[in-house]
Structure formats: structure tokens, C-alpha cells
Amino acid sequence: MASLIKKRKKGHDYYYLAVSARINGKPRIVEQKYLGTLENIAEAVKLKNENKGPVKPHTGVHFAFADIAALLDISERLGIRNIIDKHTGKRRQGLNVSDSILLAAIQRVVAPTSKNTFYQWFEGTVLPNSFPKGNEQTLSSQIFWNNMKHLDKDKIFRIEDEIAAQISKQYNIDTNCLLLYNTNFSTYVGTNNPSELAQREHSKKKHTDLKIVGLSLAVSQQYNIPLFHDIYPGNVHDTKQFLDVICGLRNRCSDLRIPESETTLVFDNGNNSESSIEELIYDQCSNFDIIDSGVNFVGSLKHDQCEVLLQISKQDYIKLEDKTLGDTTVLRRTKDVHGRAMTVVIDNNPELYKLQLENISVNIDKCFSILNDLNVKLQKRIDGEIRDNRGFTMESITKKVKSILSAEYMNEIIKYEIEVVNGENIMLTYCLDDNSFSNLKEKILGKTILFTNQHAWSNEKIVKAYRSQYLVEEHLDSMKNTKHNTFTPIRHFTDDHIRVHVFSCMLGLTLASLLNLEFNSIGRSKSLGSMLDCFKAGEQILNTYSWDNENNMTLCYTPIEKQVKDYIDKFGLKKFSYSANSSWLVNYIKNIYKKYDLIK
């Protein structure tokens, strides 16, 4: 039942449309809509009668809502701020360390910007409703980093231990299979900076002029949830970092009370060179033996480590029964690897074969084109059209040809000969070696050599475990974009600041991954990036009709996808949105009117 009610505030009468219903046998107002003063109502009626439409708002302000509220809600259910406060303590004034780091984590996911614009981002969201102490001073870059002095490497690790334990408990994450991958990120640390983490080495983004920081990330195969990370100096090779990662993972599993015998680690061949495997077998950090101690693994070997097995005809391979693996065939054998009996499975993937063959064909055409251009120059020199001898020595031409054929497999399948003619002229001949190319297609392309100490696992389980590494690779790739969930750029110049930056990024990635898990469970599955785009569209809009009257404003929401709306309703996320009588909102709007000279 609808009725008109009047409220008197500060000597003025304001009218509301109230909808009543009986709840537990008693009448209660279940919905209330502000109509304005009598003058406002009269004006609206007049305009309607004159067919001039409804009263138009004076101005409208959008606040980021859906993505912010979803991430904040997950963090509250996990008790992340309480966990951080437990290790850093609470402050009597201003924001706690937990507030600052959580806000930084959410910002890295939804709108990655510099800490210099921290407050500008904050006031454009619904976050002031949940962080009343947030203001331009407490959210300044200087105050943020002053707060971060309470976080060191050990505290961060202990905080992550407790967060991982809460995730495992609340979401029942299966940790039987963990996926490990290494990458690196560019920094803007100067050459003379004494940072131990930022070092010059090969950058995976080809930023040869910048120092880099290495990152190891381990995620669960189920749901792709980050459970462990470690940063290390950029000039440390993956094989050397591997042992530290194993030690850290063992400690994390111990804290989560996960038996080592129930955990299988999946990693690529960049981590299992002969020296690194020997270090694992004869571990110097805690005198454990990865194989004998019950830590299981699935890794990959390089082709030159299994040359005999690669000579076996594909006719001896068997097709896998799992239809999700397509036409994949495998060869399974037991082989001695670094002095231990391992189960070796050669994964022959037709899709990979097709992709590799296409890339090789492109590289062959490219190499032939460049070699032909070089040959034309050599012929012009023989004909006397080029008289300058620079760059036409046997040594320089050999160096150029090797550089041209530096792409994978090119030096093996393209044969060349360089000879001196008439005492000073150089001739180059080259051709595709059909025998080598055929051998490459038959023995190498499309094949990945897997090895494991999980001797009881089926071929399908071994192959699927290793192929699932794309999940962690997707996470790391997403962290290199600039749209959301961004890790770069790292514009920090001390190791402590870099560690805090990485911690906030990984916390944000963890929250986003859990949101993706919950979101996909109520409807159609979406990738992490696509899901965040859907949530970003959900904003709260404040329409104002007068600058000098706090009652002259209404709130609404932008249209969103049904699945996002269902998620918001399921977890009650509107509790994080603004109400029309929010004092912060009233002051914010008044400042907006003054700032943009909207007062009439």
C-alpha cells in the first residue's frame, strides 16, 4: 500500500512516497522514495501536464561499485584486514596498515594507477562508505609508504600463510596439484641503485635497457587460485631459484597442514636442468630428498635428454581415451633420469605439431629472403658494383649467416656453404636439407617429454597435469597488461617497496581469482579479464537537483549483465553502496558544485 508522508528537517517540509506491507503481522514501511518539497512536486506535475517530461537532474556523478564491492566482500569474508592487523598492529589515528594494503590491492585489480592519484581514485568509488578515515591526507603517497614500513619480508610471508589457510578452509581448494611458473618484470631502478632485487638480465618482454625482478608463482590446478609466490633478483637463473621455491612451498604446505606426499608440483624444463635436479636430490637447505621424502612432481625434459626414445616410431604410440585431449598419442616408458628411475611419457600433440610447423615454415621463408638479399649484395661486389670491402670478409659473412639462422631449428634444416672465389670474392650457397627437415617433423615437432615419480598416475592424468600450466601462464600474462590486475610498471626504487608492491598485486590477483571462481559457479564461465569488464560496468549514480539541499538527490545503478546482478543479489553487495543521507556524499557533492562552479 502506498501513501504520502511528510518529514520536517531544519524548518522545512519534505515529502516521501512510502510503500507499506505487513511483516510478522505488523505494518512496516518497506520502500521509501524522496519526492521533494511541495514546490518540487507542483513543478513536476506542471511539467507533466505540459508534456515537458520529468524534472531533469542538475548533475550526475558515477561511482565505481560492482567490482569494488565484490572484491571488498571477499576480503571481509576471509578476514584479511584482521589477519594483517594481527601482524602489524592497529593505529589510533588514520588508516591502519591493513586498510592501506587492501585498498592498494583492490586498486591494482580495477584501476591500476600511481599512488600519487590514490585519493582521486578512492573518492570516485563507493569505498568511502566502508573506509570513513580515508581522506586526501591519509591516502597520500607519503602516508601510504610510511604505513608500509610496518611490513617486512617475514611478516608478509606469515600474513600470506594465514590468508592461504583461510582460502583453503573456506573454499575447500584442492592442493593435490600445484602449478609453478617463473617470469620477470621490468623496473625503472637506475644503474647506480643498490637494489638487490632489481638486476640486469634477459627480460622476457625484451626490455634490454631496464633492470628486472624475477617472480615465481604457484597456483592450484583446481580453480587456478594463487597459493604461493616468491620474488628474487632478476639475474638469478630459474634453476637456482627453484630450490628456494621448493623450500618455501614445503613451509607453506606445512603451515596449511598439507601432507607432502599428497602434493604434486608441476614445472617446466627451465627448472630441471641436471644441476638443479641434483640440488633437489641432495638438498643443502634442509637435507631433504625431494623424491625420497615423498614430494611428487611432473616436469619436462629437453629433447636431447631422450634421443633414443624419440627415435621410436609414432606407430608405437597409443591414443589417449580422454576426449578433451583430442588426437593426442603418447609413448610411456621407464627411464633413468639423473640416477633415478622415472616414468617418462612422450606427449605427441597434433595441435602443437601444426602450430610449430606453421612457425617453422614462416621462419624458413624469412631466412631464405634475408639470405637471398645477402647473396645479391655478394654478387654485386663480384660484378664490381660495390667496391667497399667492409663487411665482406669470410668472418663477417659467416657471422651474418649464423645470425640469420639463429631462429629455432633453422641452423639444423638450412645448410649453407661460404667459399672464397678468385682469391677475394665470397660466394654463399644454401638450401633446405630435406632429410633433416623430415627427421625434425617425425622425431621432434609436436612432442613434449614429461617425467614424473607419480608412477601410478595414468597417461591422461600426467598429460593434463602438465598442460594445465597454461592456467598460471594466463595469470602472469594478465599481470603484464595495463587495463586491470596490473603488476607493471614497477616504479619503486627500494627492495622493501618492491616487496610491498608485489604483495599488494598478488593479494589483488588472489581476490580477483576467488571472485572469478564464485562468479563462474552461478552461470556461464568467463575469463578473469572478461569477468572484470562485466563488473566494471556496474556503477552507482547520484543525481542531484539542487546544490543547497541535501534531500534533493537520488541514487540509482547502471544496467548490468544478469549474471553480475545475480552475484550482487546473492552476496548482498548493495550494503557497500551509498545511501541518500550519507554525510560524506553530501559534502562530496557540495565540493563538486564549488569545484566546477555549478552553483546557480
Side-chain angles (χ1 to χ4, degrees):
M1 179 179 176
S3 61
L4 194 66
I5 61 175
K6 179 178 70 174
K7 295 182 180 181
R8 189 168 185 81
K9 296 183 178 181
K10 297 182 180 179
H12 298 279
D13 293 331
Y14 300 97
Y15 292 84
Y16 296 80
L17 179 66
V19 178
S20 301
R22 285 191 173 274
I23 299 176
N24 296 328
K26 297 182 179 181
R28 293 286 185 269
I29 294 177
V30 294
E31 185 179 349
Q32 182 175 279
K33 186 175 182 180
Y34 173 73
L35 299 177
T37 63
L38 283 176
E39 290 78 9
N40 294 142
I41 297 173
E43 179 68 15
V45 172
K46 179 181 177 182
L47 290 172
K48 184 176 181 181
N49 292 334
E50 294 176 356
N51 293 321
K52 291 185 179 180
V55 178
K56 293 183 179 180
H58 190 274
T59 188
V61 182
H62 289 238
F63 297 96
F65 161 64
D67 49 1
I68 300 287
L71 295 169
L72 181 58
D73 182 57
I74 292 173
S75 74
E76 295 295 280
R77 283 186 271 137
L78 289 173
I80 285 179
R81 282 194 279 182
N82 290 334
I83 291 173
I84 296 175
D85 285 337
K86 176 181 174 182
H87 295 277
T88 61
K90 287 188 175 182
R91 299 187 61 188
R92 293 183 178 179
Q93 296 180 341
L95 293 173
N96 293 323
V97 176
S98 60
D99 297 330
S100 296
I101 201 67
L102 179 57
L103 289 173
I106 293 175
Q107 184 199 32
R108 297 313 298 179
V109 176
V110 301
T113 57
S114 165
K115 292 297 180 293
N116 290 328
T117 58
F118 206 16
Y119 180 70
Q120 286 86 335
W121 162 77
F122 175 81
E123 66 177 356
T125 72
V126 296
L127 285 169
N129 210 31
S130 302
F131 295 84
K133 292 184 179 180
N135 55 50
E136 197 163 5
Q137 179 182 0
T138 58
L139 288 170
S140 67
S141 176
Q142 185 61 54
I143 296 298
F144 175 84
W145 289 113
N146 285 344
N147 265 352
M148 294 308 107
K149 291 178 181 178
H150 297 281
L151 280 175
D152 56 31
K153 183 178 179 179
D154 292 336
K155 286 182 180 179
I156 289 174
F157 192 85
R158 292 199 298 272
I159 289 170
E160 289 180 335
D161 271 347
E162 292 198 32
I163 293 175
Q166 281 298 313
I167 292 172
S168 180
K169 178 182 177 181
Q170 292 191 27
Y171 291 87
N172 195 27
I173 302 298
D174 184 356
T175 56
N176 287 345
C177 188
L178 300 179
L179 315 174
L180 175 68
Y181 198 79
N182 297 325
T183 189
N184 54 53
F185 294 89
S186 301
T187 73
Y188 291 89
V189 174
T191 301
N192 296 326
N193 190 297
S195 169
E196 295 181 1
L197 289 174
Q199 299 292 332
R200 294 195 189 280
E201 192 50 69
H202 172 70
S203 168
K204 294 187 177 182
K205 291 288 285 185
K206 312 300 182 184
H207 294 160
T208 56
D209 57 330
L210 298 176
K211 288 185 175 183
I212 59 175
V213 172
L215 172 69
S216 295
L217 177 63
V219 306
S220 62
Q221 184 185 27
Q222 183 194 37
Y223 307 133
N224 197 17
I225 306 300
L227 293 176
F228 174 84
H229 84 270
D230 189 29
I231 55 174
Y232 56 94
N235 59 353
V236 173
H237 194 273
D238 291 348
T239 55
K240 294 183 179 179
Q241 167 66 8
F242 191 45
L243 182 58
D244 290 337
V245 170
I246 292 298
C247 292
L249 274 173
R250 285 171 61 89
N251 291 334
R252 179 63 45 85
C253 288
S254 175
D255 293 333
L256 296 178
R257 297 182 180 179
I258 301 170
E260 293 173 6
S261 59
E262 296 180 6
T263 302
T264 299
L265 183 65
V266 181
F267 51 86
D268 63 16
N269 59 21
N271 291 310
N272 62 5
S273 67
E274 183 174 357
S275 59
S276 65
I277 294 297
E278 286 181 355
E279 287 182 5
L280 288 169
I281 295 172
Y282 306 107
D283 180 28
Q284 299 174 0
C285 78
S286 59
N287 298 318
F288 72 87
D289 181 314
I290 186 171
I291 298 172
D292 292 342
S293 66
V295 178
N296 302 304
F297 61 87
V298 175
S300 64
L301 297 171
K302 297 176 182 177
H303 288 110
D304 58 7
Q305 293 178 283
C306 287
E307 292 180 349
V308 175
L309 291 181
L310 289 172
Q311 299 303 315
I312 298 175
S313 172
K314 290 182 181 179
Q315 294 180 354
D316 293 331
Y317 287 52
I318 60 173
K319 190 177 185 303
L320 296 179
E321 296 178 358
D322 193 324
K323 293 182 179 180
T324 62
L325 296 174
D327 295 325
T328 297
T329 58
V330 298
L331 178 74
R332 182 171 183 143
R333 294 288 188 271
T334 299
K335 174 179 168 52
D336 183 87
V337 179
H338 305 308
R340 300 291 177 122
M342 298 287 179
T343 294
V344 175
V345 175
I346 299 182
D347 172 8
N348 180 42
N349 184 354
E351 294 297 323
L352 178 60
Y353 174 89
K354 180 180 178 181
L355 180 62
Q356 289 180 328
L357 189 58
E358 288 176 355
N359 290 336
I360 287 175
S361 298
V362 170
N363 285 336
I364 289 174
D365 293 341
K366 187 183 296 184
C367 289
F368 273 21
S369 176
I370 300 174
L371 289 171
N372 183 63
D373 292 342
L374 179 59
N375 236 350
V376 169
K377 290 182 180 180
L378 292 174
Q379 187 60 47
K380 284 183 177 181
R381 187 175 183 280
I382 293 174
D383 296 339
E385 296 181 32
I386 298 178
R387 299 183 181 278
D388 193 345
N389 290 330
R390 289 177 297 179
F392 289 94
T393 64
M394 176 69 79
E395 181 182 357
S396 64
I397 296 300
T398 301
K399 186 176 180 179
K400 286 181 181 179
V401 172
K402 287 183 177 180
S403 176
I404 294 169
L405 301 179
S406 61
E408 190 174 26
Y409 303 125
M410 292 300 101
N411 196 46
E412 300 173 24
I413 62 178
I414 297 179
K415 301 302 179 183
Y416 66 91
E417 185 177 353
I418 303 173
E419 57 182 336
V420 178
V421 181
N422 298 329
E424 58 178 8
N425 294 324
I426 297 175
M427 289 189 64
L428 169 65
T429 57
Y430 55 90
C431 67
L432 182 66
D433 188 328
D434 292 331
N435 290 332
S436 297
F437 195 21
S438 297
N439 185 68
L440 179 69
K441 290 188 286 187
E442 175 65 24
K443 310 298 183 184
I444 303 297
L445 298 187
K447 295 180 179 179
T448 306
I449 307 171
L450 312 179
F451 78 112
T452 179
N453 61 342
Q454 287 280 29
H455 304 295
W457 276 19
S458 66
N459 294 329
E460 284 84 358
K461 192 169 184 179
I462 294 171
V463 171
K464 292 180 77 170
Y466 188 80
R467 288 192 186 181
S468 60
Q469 276 201 307
Y470 80 91
L471 295 171
V472 65
E473 291 176 23
E474 282 184 350
H475 266 338
L476 293 172
D477 287 342
S478 71
M479 294 170 70
K480 293 182 180 181
N481 66 31
T482 56
K483 191 175 181 181
H484 42 58
N485 208 38
T486 304
F487 194 96
T488 56
I490 304 179
R491 296 186 181 274
H492 305 291
F493 306 101
T494 68
D495 289 347
D496 289 339
H497 283 195
I498 291 174
R499 286 192 180 93
V500 169
H501 173 77
V502 173
F503 174 46
S504 65
C505 290
M506 296 309 305
L507 178 57
L509 176 62
T510 301
L511 294 175
S513 300
L514 293 172
L515 173 59
N516 195 222
L517 164 62
E518 294 181 341
F519 179 74
N520 291 341
S521 70
I522 63 173
R524 186 164 57 90
S525 294
K526 289 181 179 289
S527 67
L528 186 62
S530 177
M531 177 205 66
L532 288 173
D533 287 337
C534 292
F535 271 88
K536 194 174 186 67
E539 297 179 320
Q540 188 176 23
I541 305 174
L542 172 69
N543 294 313
T544 61
Y545 301 87
S546 171
W547 75 273
D548 59 349
N549 190 338
E550 63 188 58
N551 290 292
N552 273 339
M553 63 174 95
T554 60
L555 290 164
C556 60
Y557 299 91
T558 55
I560 52 176
E561 283 193 13
K562 182 181 182 303
Q563 192 169 338
V564 177
K565 183 179 182 302
D566 290 344
Y567 184 92
I568 291 173
D569 292 341
K570 178 179 179 180
F571 291 98
L573 299 188
K574 287 187 178 179
K575 64 187 176 185
F576 295 108
S577 61
Y578 290 116
S579 59
N581 59 358
S582 166
S583 59
W584 186 92
L585 204 56
V586 171
N587 291 330
Y588 176 77
I589 292 302
K590 288 182 178 179
N591 290 333
I592 289 289
Y593 270 77
K594 292 177 182 178
K595 181 178 180 180
Y596 295 101
D597 196 24
L598 299 176
I599 300 175
K600 302 298 182 183

